[in-house]
Amino acid sequence: MKQQPTVWGLHMGGHVGDRPIEGNYVAIGWRALGDLRAIPADREAFKSALRQHLPDLKEGAVPVNAGTLFRFVHEMSAGDVVVYPSKHDRMINIGRFTGDASYLPDDLDEYPNRRSVEWLGHFPRTEFSQSALNEIGSAVTIFRVRSHAAEFLSKLAATGDAPDPATAAEGTEETADDDTATQAVAQQAEGTTSDFVIRRIMTGMTGHEFEHFVAHVLECMGYTTRVTAKSGDGGVDVIAHMDALGFQPPIVKVQCKRKTEQTPRPEVDQLLGTLGEGEYGLYVNLGSYARGAIELERNRAKLRLIDGEQFVEMLLENYDKLSPRYRSLIPLKQIYVPDLSKG
């Protein structure tokens, strides 16, 4: 009987951008340990290597990290499925491993230990249940997806690439040390809030209502705004300025897109084409931007791109100034969570 593939979850830092997707791989760091394939295939050997090469690592974190490294090299197999939630664009990427572990010592992101992947689909987070998103918000870098494996794999059914989910694999998952688990819960709380806000906007507003909402958030930031007509706006949805009449530069022309998909460069070019002397362009969406659009922003001082995560940050910073109508649509309360990222 053919063994069913295991479904793995894997995290990488946001600094990797879209390189893993374009390069068809996933990777992990621990550069100080070198090529992980050179460590004997034994969990105790991985623990010893961590203690030797990373002496400042807390003892409680050693078993967790050793288990992560061991899984990456010796438990993941070609044909297994990987679910990778990319941080830079809020997409859930699902693929299939196509080979064994490899080593690239000069990796740009300092993630030298790799596995090649055939990507089968890329999906916005809003297409998954919150409980499924919580499961892949694990406190460890690599983990088995158990409870919601079928939900992630069902997204591949339309392509004909959906394998059956694995039954519960043998072995015990390591429990993260207290600091790692605490920080992960804090990060998950922030991620859950972003998911909630974006989901409420997607389900509770039309595209034109979202334009009014963006205008309102800008007003909370001190701008005077005017929403253009539904049609014939020439690619400009909101006009914002600091003076009451709108004659004093800078004038900000805003394009709003209530979508969680990636915005390509041509759409951003359209906004740039509307700008005149003393005018600036602001593009707001709930998803992310293609590399070409991001490069365009870097080279154009008059252009600013706001993605979903950044828009949620803007909203949270001005939440107390929002009208009751919007606070009713997006009900939130302020809490404090641990922040161990600074030491």
Side-chain angles (χ1 to χ4, degrees):
M1 181 176 178
K2 183 178 179 181
Q3 183 178 5
Q4 301 297 344
T6 301
V7 181
W8 298 92
L10 185 144
H11 296 153
M12 287 184 278
H15 67 285
V16 303
D18 57 3
R19 283 181 287 276
I21 304 303
E22 293 190 353
N24 297 304
Y25 69 89
V26 292
I28 58 175
W30 285 278
R31 190 173 185 176
L33 274 66
D35 188 347
L36 299 178
R37 298 172 302 176
I39 302 174
D42 177 79
R43 288 175 181 259
E44 291 302 320
F46 277 83
K47 292 177 184 179
S48 298
L50 283 166
R51 294 187 181 102
Q52 177 183 352
H53 296 286
L54 296 172
D56 294 332
L57 187 65
K58 294 181 179 179
E59 182 59 30
V62 170
V64 179
N65 290 325
T68 294
L69 304 178
F70 184 86
R71 288 190 202 100
F72 189 82
V73 179
H74 299 292
E75 291 187 0
M76 290 177 164
S77 302
D80 285 352
V81 172
V82 59
V83 178
Y84 160 50
S86 53
K87 296 180 179 179
H88 85 287
D89 61 4
R90 292 180 53 81
M91 297 293 285
I92 304 299
N93 308 283
I94 305 177
R96 180 187 291 114
F97 291 121
T98 58
D100 295 330
S102 60
Y103 183 66
L104 187 68
D106 57 349
D107 178 69
L108 179 66
D109 301 309
E110 297 191 354
Y111 277 24
N113 293 283
R114 291 189 173 193
R115 275 190 173 272
S116 57
V117 175
E118 175 192 4
W119 295 113
L120 304 175
H122 314 279
F123 309 94
R125 291 175 65 90
T126 51
E127 295 189 10
F128 299 91
S129 67
Q130 190 59 55
S131 58
L133 296 176
N134 289 343
E135 181 177 10
I136 60 173
S138 170
V140 294
T141 302
I142 297 172
F143 51 94
R144 288 189 177 95
V145 179
R146 301 179 186 274
S147 300
H148 297 86
E151 179 175 346
F152 290 108
L153 292 175
S154 68
K155 290 294 180 181
L156 305 178
T159 67
D161 288 320
D164 294 329
T167 55
E170 296 182 0
T172 302
E173 296 279 350
E174 288 81 3
T175 302
D177 65 283
D178 287 347
D179 283 355
T180 299
T182 298
Q183 186 64 15
V185 170
Q187 292 172 348
Q188 188 176 82
E190 295 175 0
T192 300
T193 299
S194 294
D195 292 332
F196 173 78
V197 170
I198 292 176
R199 200 183 301 273
R200 280 300 180 106
I201 293 173
M202 292 295 295
T203 58
M205 297 182 188
T206 65
H208 192 59
E209 288 170 340
F210 179 59
E211 295 169 9
H212 282 273
F213 183 47
V214 171
H216 182 63
V217 173
L218 291 174
E219 288 173 352
C220 293
M221 298 170 64
Y223 288 91
T224 299
T225 66
R226 173 166 53 90
V227 179
T228 63
K230 286 187 178 181
S231 60
D233 59 19
V236 177
D237 299 316
V238 178
I239 298 176
H241 38 82
M242 297 304 293
D243 67 306
L245 296 177
F247 290 114
Q248 179 181 342
I251 308 299
V252 182
K253 292 183 174 179
V254 188
Q255 177 75 16
C256 309
K257 290 293 184 182
R258 187 189 62 94
K259 66 177 186 178
T260 55
E261 294 80 14
Q262 191 176 80
T263 296
R265 173 169 174 165
E267 293 188 18
V268 179
D269 282 326
Q270 182 182 15
L271 174 61
L272 279 177
T274 69
L275 303 184
E277 186 67 27
E279 296 179 339
Y280 290 76
L282 176 66
Y283 202 111
V284 180
N285 74 18
L286 298 177
S288 60
Y289 295 90
R291 178 179 295 183
I294 295 173
E295 292 175 349
L296 184 63
E297 180 192 31
R298 291 172 182 166
N299 295 320
R300 299 293 180 90
K302 292 187 175 184
L303 175 65
R304 182 78 167 88
L305 305 180
I306 299 294
D307 61 22
E309 287 287 336
Q310 293 165 329
F311 182 70
V312 171
E313 290 177 7
M314 289 171 53
L315 184 152
L316 295 179
E317 289 173 0
N318 296 277
Y319 186 77
D320 60 333
K321 302 175 187 176
L322 294 184
S323 71
R325 169 193 172 192
Y326 290 122
R327 279 183 284 154
S328 176
L329 177 65
I330 308 173
L332 301 172
K333 68 178 180 180
Q334 186 176 23
I335 62 172
Y336 293 95
V337 297
D339 182 8
L340 303 180
S341 62
K342 300 177 182 178

